[in-house]
Amino acid sequence: MRTGDLGEYVAFDLETTGLDPQIDEILEVAMVRFRRGRPDEEWSSLVKPSQKVPLYVLRLTGITEADLANAPVLEDVLWRIREFIGDSPLVGHNSSFDIAFLGKIVTDIGLRPCHDTLELSRIVIPGLSSYKLSALCENLGIPLVTAHRALDDARASGILFGLLQERARQVLRSASSFIVSVMGDNWASRDLFGHTDAQGTGQVAGESALQPLVGDISDGSRGTTKNLTAAAGKDETQLPETGGGTPSQGLIKAKPRELLPPEGIAARVQAGPTLFSRPNVERAIYSAIMEEAKAGCGAGPEISGEVWDNAILVQAPETADALAGMLAAAIRAAHELKDRVAVACLDARTASKMERVLAGLPGSSGAAVAFLQSPRRRVCLARWRALEILVANRAVGELDLETRQFLAMMANWLSRTKTGSPREIQMFGCGYQVFAELQASWYPGCLEGCAYSRHCFCPKQEEPDVPGVSLMYLEELLSQDLLVRSPFAAVVVLGYQKVLDWADRRADVFEPRQIAELIGPTEGQIFLDLDRRLGDALSRDERVLWFRGRVEMPADIRCLLRDGRQVLGEYIRRRAREDDDVKLRMSLDEIPGHLPIIGRDISAAERFFDAIEKMLNEEPDKVLVVDGRYKSAGLVPVMKRLWVCPGQEIKNGMGVRARKVVLVSPFAQMLAGRRGYEKLLAMSETPKLVAAGTYEEPADILTVFVDGLPKPTDKEAFDQRSASFIVELVGAVRTGCLVLNPFSSNSETLFEKIAPALESRGILVVSADGTGRALEYLEQPDTVVLSRFLAFDEDDFSRARCVIISRLPFGLRRPEDWIRETEVRNAGGDYFRDVTLTGILSRLSQVVDALRSETGRRVLVVLDSRARPAGSSYGSEVFKALTPGEHVVCPPLVALNRIKSWLSVEVEEVVR
């Protein structure tokens, strides 16, 4: 059925008892008939399920058990569902979920067109941070009275679909062509975008999606100036309207007179509830940047690796309020120095927070601040054109639905992007993998002879060096691909304490047996041999290392690696020849650059090949490890490329990029002077320490150490007794309880033990491995949230009334730790206290700081006996970090009464 421009459709939504259509049931069904874009008729009904409804579903939807008691069963409303739908096409948000439930009772539901507003909104409105129905309604001005109620959601989905039809008609014809091709002939929404050709081959009429960017390139030419001018004047080249006010990413050319006066920014940012006030942070960062910088400004001092040794360490939090002060300080320094300043972070969470802060500083993004990324983080136009040809020739038939959806979104986004950066587009599902295969690879050599070099996003970043502030990842700042003509006057590195963890995440991991299964038993035999050889080493608890200049890898293993590299190279080349027919290869002869084969096993082989090649060409400060302890952990033999001492890599990169380094950490005072950290960060001396304010002794935090529980080493007994205590404590506090666990496994175990008991009392238990919606439950009554220590930051959980630490977050010892330990001990440091314990203390300090930042009484409850002075040899250090205010050590029953008494005072004061 072809629907064209839909004048009539039925928007629908279901609420269910769970997410599995095989075992869960429909709880509520709603349908709204739209005619000419307006709701014309609607119907909804609760449905009485045969099973008990989970508490979190009742809480999410607002439906009560009393509401369901007199509701009809599903069989009684089935006729009404069939009658209302009739022959109309369907519309829903994430409709595949609802169709899976409806398909059990309406067997022909899959035969009619069903339009998914989640899928469509991602395609026609790329670049939003969230595509939840509530977020889309907020961005587009659609009324949504009660989210997660079927009728309101169905009505909002129908209105949203009408707006999406309008947006689909506005998509460039060239982008529409690609979208319809990649989504396939059976896609319900294909007729909203374009028209197929008369031959019915599936190839859609229209030019390449690159047309607005590169002009007519069918003959491999570079395009003309006329085409470029026309493209530059089109509105379609602008960023999509996201409604969120996110600034454009990329290197924004700025003139000195356009720089915002520092007092203008300071006036716009209101101080938040942090102990380190924004003005204090701004003054500290500004002073650190400017110290001794003016003397070298303009003359261009000689750059060397010593810049890292002379770094200044600033103690300041990473709250949004403090980040605003950091950005204001950087802008002010750039303005006065008439030079450039970089602000680098180590993780996506901090980068996102900086973007939000920057969006809240009106006018700053276009004048002085830019996001700067290496060319490898931008889409390659030559690769995209090759992909267009593959799609048009039906040569990418194995793509899964998520990949198709992401490519369709990219087709529309590509006609609008200014920088080609992934910051401008939401990554979902396999998006990161797809984008990685389409990003620039061989810069700058790939531009030589490329038909798209004049229109490539990468050279567009080669703007003249102008005064201003660049925001980036530390990884990109250190990249050799980053185009900077002269060093930055200063680089501010956020998250100094995270450098070691960040370096570990840079490891490349692969398993030899996976490659053997990938390429087949004949060609993969060499990888089976490698797997067996490593297995033999592990069975004898033999540690196999390659650390150039110190420990040589066994010759047979090194030989197997090199032979495997050659086998993979031949396999990749052969598969490339077999997969493309003659006609397609002839078409691609005109397209320079690497051919993307998305979604095929050849791509996986290429990644394995790259991993081996990197490991065989490591620098002396890297190591390849295969350790016997992997076996004891139940893991298969694994090889890793690791930065055992990552500071050397960072130090070398900073020596080229910066004249001055300012390191920022909320735990600077705790980290300064720790020889272990300084060795791993390649510092020859302790940096100068600057504090952006001082703490005041809080009078509204009570820390309770629960005595009398079993030792954590007795896992079963400890888990059972601590779970019982948490049930009683949460039952007493009921609102704003957060339980922190070191690992996801601990959270899962605790969830299983406490959820039934608490939910029987009407208290919802929410488990959250990461930040996001789960932590919003902290503000809801009768709710407790379980989370990992590493899954939050200060801004995420500061509203918690009661934080419970079930176990201290000691991690498993990793194979590379013994190498680091040797380095630290040779430097005269204590690896456990300088590195392991300091990291734990800094995390615990962050918990305390978050509680300090809020007004009103707060409670910190510690169940782990190792946190008390007598609990272990390091207990006094942990105890000190956790007791900035009032504290008490007492048995469980006394602890419960003490906590209730402490919090009840706050209640009484509010009542008065």
Side-chain angles (χ1 to χ4, degrees), residues 809-822:
F810 288 99
L812 299 174
R813 191 170 177 82
R814 297 163 296 185
E816 69 274 14
D817 284 348
W818 74 273
I819 303 176
R820 289 182 172 178
E821 183 173 351
T822 301

Side-chain angles (χ1 to χ4, degrees), residues 388-418:
E388 285 186 312
I389 296 175
L390 287 173
V391 170
N393 286 276
R394 302 298 181 93
V396 199
E398 298 177 13
L399 295 180
D400 55 60
L401 179 60
E402 276 195 345
T403 302
R404 293 177 185 273
Q405 290 174 343
F406 186 77
L407 289 174
M409 179 170 69
M410 282 191 65
N412 187 23
W413 164 78
L414 191 61
S415 66
R416 303 164 179 258
T417 178
K418 292 181 178 179

